[in-house]
């Protein structure tokens, strides 16, 4: 089951809103359809929305009717702005769009047709690279996982959150593939229930034992010494190592520190945003109150309830035991170590 | 809207499973119906299930067909055992049944009819006392709340969790009644959504501003300095001041400590269990996986998912700024201060 693929000049996105009950694809023929799919959570997960946005840029080039290169570049800039606005926290989206714009500019001495062809090819490359990168994150991260490890995770940082294989779950898949008997506790991840709907499904399909808990139960699991480590993904990592990730990540980092349990973040280098110095600068998306007041279209609360629905929180670097990237593991991340990694 | 009341020899329980969409009562004519209502969450909240169980004992006496006092006492013992088993963590249930058994024994030199009359009267007293106790908790606790305080709470420790007025919410109502402009963030409280369904409804009706959040969002609220204090109820408080309360309480206590925010527990003396020394001895109820896999009868997860659904967690005394009781406030609770309170 592919998270997304390109076929006959259209982008196919697995409709994650319908999982695990139904597997169907939303077919995007232009960049507006891709933007809507990202906004509406057809596709989610920082790396996956980056890849989807790259294809969205390729679609914008294909739909372009301007015969001038300047016209095409303006179309691409506008499409990029539209795609960037869909989800403000995950930086991979912006990263992918910048990659695509740079590629277009690289070929700006050529023709509109050449640029368009190059952009389709670049989107394919970004998608293929994402899977390779995740396998590399998995290989590095698996070294941190002992046989028998009981791992807590939040949200879904699996194949469904990427072009394939996954970041946090990629590490778990790599340990599992080595023959380690790992087991996972999946936090259901309110409000959108990515853990309950996606992570349990993805791990079960891979044969990794998984137990679903409500997010509230994580504390008791730490108290009862049922957790050996936490592994989560990331939506943005800034210059000092602070991490924005799904709402509920920060409390897990505080609990892990309280109980002396390692807390790992698995993410590609495209999730790093070195233009921001620390977590306070990261924009936090707020989503519709309906994600909380209604579950599976059933209304839970009374009328006219005031709701606050931030989608991400901020984990300070000092609560993170290590960040696992495709270039290796940054233990006890800080500004210096991150700068060093990017200087390579 | 009364949580429960006695009318024409039957116990009326507000069906909290249907709130806030529908207000209807389940009518219990015998102790088995009361036991089922407690087990199935028609009535919930430690003090409320204690009061319901007391009425259940009165119903058992009324249904008794034995003409001997020994026969009646055996019937009561058996009914008490059945009621106690319905929810193992909240100790008020056991406390109320013990009160009722002691009352029966007190009149064991009299007749079956006298004992039965006394038990009905005792249940009425326990219910009326519970409201008085809550008002007293409120009066003591209100002194801790400054004008403008932004209060975080979990689950529902309001009028719906008691015979009336509430414990944690009673403190908030008392501050509100004093004219303090308090506002509340209500954690939705997965899996059973008491916060989303009951606390938002109860506070809105009382004119207290309330904002609903997912449990996962509490961490960000602390990070953004949006919380001045946490107030929760309790299901059992043991001799050293450790507290069992709704799953998700312990993580809030850790976050509060991390951010230097006071963490208060409001509970009557009937919630204390001095027979247990510390939190490790408290039995933790596990409930059906269906509470997690289905929401409002809609299935969320795939088939055959493994689920762990503990209903309570354990907050160590050292994370508690104060316990608010009807006898006053125990600051920085410990074994000595609690022993002293009960020695009075």
């Amino acid at each position: 089951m592919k998270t997304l693929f390109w076929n006959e000049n259209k982008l196919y996105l697995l409709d994650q809103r319908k999982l695990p009950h139904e597997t169907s694809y939303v077919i995007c023929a232009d960049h507006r359809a891709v933007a809507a799919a990202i906004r509406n959570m057809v596709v989610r997960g920082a790396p996956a929305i980056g890849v989807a946005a790259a294809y969205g840029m390729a679609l914008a080039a294909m739909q372009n009717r301007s015969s001038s290169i300047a016209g095409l570049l303006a179309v691409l800039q506008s499409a990029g702005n539209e795609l960037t606005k869909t989800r403000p926290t995950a930086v991979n989206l912006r990263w992918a769009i910048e990659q695509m714009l740079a590629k277009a500019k690289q070929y700006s001495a050529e023709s509109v047709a050449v640029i368009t062809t190059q952009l389709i090819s670049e989107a394919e490359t970004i998608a293929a690279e994402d899977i390779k990168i995740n396998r590399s994150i998995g290989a590095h991260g698996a070294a941190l996982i002992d046989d028998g490890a009981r791992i807590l995770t939040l949200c879904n940082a699996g194949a469904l959150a990427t072009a394939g294989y996954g970041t946090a779950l990629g590490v778990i898949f790599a340990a599992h593939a080595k023959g380690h008997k790992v087991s996972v506790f999946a936090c259901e991840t309110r409000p959108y229930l990515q853990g309950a709907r996606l992570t349990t499904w993805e791990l079960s399909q891979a044969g990794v034992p998984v137990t679903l808990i409500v997010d509230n139960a994580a504390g008791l699991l730490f108290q009862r010494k049922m957790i050996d480590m936490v592994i989560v993904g990331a939506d943005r990592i800034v210059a000092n190592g602070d991490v924005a990730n799904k709402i509920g990540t920060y409390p897990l980092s505080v609990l892990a520190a309280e109980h002396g349990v390692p807390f790992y973040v698995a993410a590609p280098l495209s999730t790093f945003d070195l233009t921001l110095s620390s977590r306070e600068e990261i924009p936090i998306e707020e989503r519709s109150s309906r994600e909380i007041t209604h579950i599976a279209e059933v209304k839970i609360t009374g009328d006219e309830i005031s709701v606050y629905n931030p989608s991400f929180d901020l984990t300070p670097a000092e609560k993170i035991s290590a960040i696992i990237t495709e270039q290796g593991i940054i233990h006890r991340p800080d500004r210096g170590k991150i700068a060093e990694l990017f200087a390579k």
Side-chain angles (χ1 to χ4, degrees), chain A:
Chain A
M1 192 69 57
K2 289 190 139 207
T3 304
L4 46 75
F5 61 92
W6 183 251
N7 185 40
E8 295 185 348
N9 292 330
K10 293 190 179 66
L11 176 63
Y12 286 66
L13 294 170
L14 180 60
D15 192 344
Q16 300 195 30
R17 300 169 304 181
K18 298 184 175 164
L19 292 175
H21 305 307
E22 188 187 323
T23 53
S24 62
Y25 283 84
V26 169
I27 304 170
C28 302
D30 58 38
H31 79 274
R32 284 203 180 82
V34 177
I38 295 171
R39 194 180 307 111
N40 301 332
M41 310 274 273
V42 171
V43 61
R44 29 64 51 198
I49 63 179
V51 174
Y55 281 116
M57 294 294 279
L59 288 168
M62 289 168 56
Q63 299 272 315
N64 163 57
R65 291 288 159 260
S66 167
S67 56
S68 76
I69 287 178
L72 171 59
L73 292 180
V75 160
L76 289 172
Q77 189 63 59
S78 158
N81 292 345
E82 203 174 318
L83 286 160
T84 302
K85 275 189 294 189
T86 54
R87 304 287 313 269
T89 303
V91 81
N92 313 59
L93 184 56
R94 196 182 75 193
W95 172 88
I97 290 160
E98 283 169 3
Q99 294 284 111
M100 295 297 281
L101 289 172
K103 180 61 67 176
K105 281 171 197 152
Q106 186 188 329
Y107 286 86
S108 60
E110 309 279 339
S111 67
V112 164
V114 165
I115 295 175
T116 302
T117 308
Q118 286 296 331
L119 287 178
I120 296 168
S121 160
E122 179 68 6
E124 292 280 54
T125 302
I126 288 173
E129 278 294 314
D130 187 58
I131 300 175
K132 275 194 214 164
I133 285 167
N134 292 335
R135 291 196 171 270
S136 181
I137 290 171
H140 287 296
L144 297 169
I145 301 186
D146 290 331
D147 192 30
R150 299 158 305 167
I151 304 167
L152 181 69
T153 191
L154 178 78
C155 199
N156 172 273
L160 293 168
T162 60
Y165 201 68
T167 54
L169 296 195
V171 171
I172 293 168
F173 293 141
H176 181 71
K178 275 169 74 175
H180 283 5
K181 283 196 173 24
V182 295
S183 59
V184 176
F185 284 101
C187 291
E188 64 172 1
T189 319
R190 284 285 291 152
Y192 212 70
L193 298 165
Q194 292 94 333
R197 297 188 300 108
L198 307 179
T199 296
T200 58
W201 183 72
E202 197 175 324
L203 288 171
S204 297
Q205 288 204 323
V208 178
V210 55
T211 300
L212 176 65
I213 58 167
V214 293
D215 307 307
N216 274 336
L220 185 72
L221 268 67
F222 281 108
Q223 291 183 307
R224 292 193 157 173
K225 301 189 192 310
M226 294 165 74
I227 304 294
D228 299 311
M229 64 179 65
V230 181
I231 310 181
V232 295
D235 288 83
R236 192 181 308 210
I237 304 174
V238 295
N240 71 344
D242 290 349
V243 167
N245 191 46
K246 179 54 53 200
I247 192 85
T249 302
Y250 169 64
L252 295 183
S253 78
V254 174
L255 286 166
E258 177 87 7
H259 291 270
V261 168
F263 183 90
Y264 299 121
V265 173
L269 295 188
S270 57
T271 300
F272 286 74
D273 177 5
L274 302 189
T275 71
L276 301 186
S277 179
S278 67
R279 62 189 179 276
E280 293 78 10
E281 301 166 28
I282 302 175
I284 295 190
E285 178 182 5
E286 289 178 28
R287 293 184 62 86
S288 159
S289 61
R290 197 180 164 92
E291 283 187 357
I292 299 182
T293 57
H294 292 64
I295 303 180
E297 296 304 309
V298 179
K299 192 174 173 200
I300 302 298
T301 63
D303 293 323
E304 294 174 32
I305 290 291
S306 165
V307 172
Y308 177 50
N309 184 19
S311 289
F312 302 92
D313 63 19
L314 305 165
T315 300
E318 55 267 28
K319 293 277 191 272
I320 300 169
S321 308
I323 301 175
I324 307 162
T325 77
E326 69 270 34
Q327 296 292 335
I329 297 171
I330 315 171
H331 292 279
R332 296 269 144 224
D334 63 22
R335 204 175 293 276
K337 291 175 189 170
I338 289 169
E340 203 179 311
L341 185 74
F342 278 84
K344 275 180 191 167

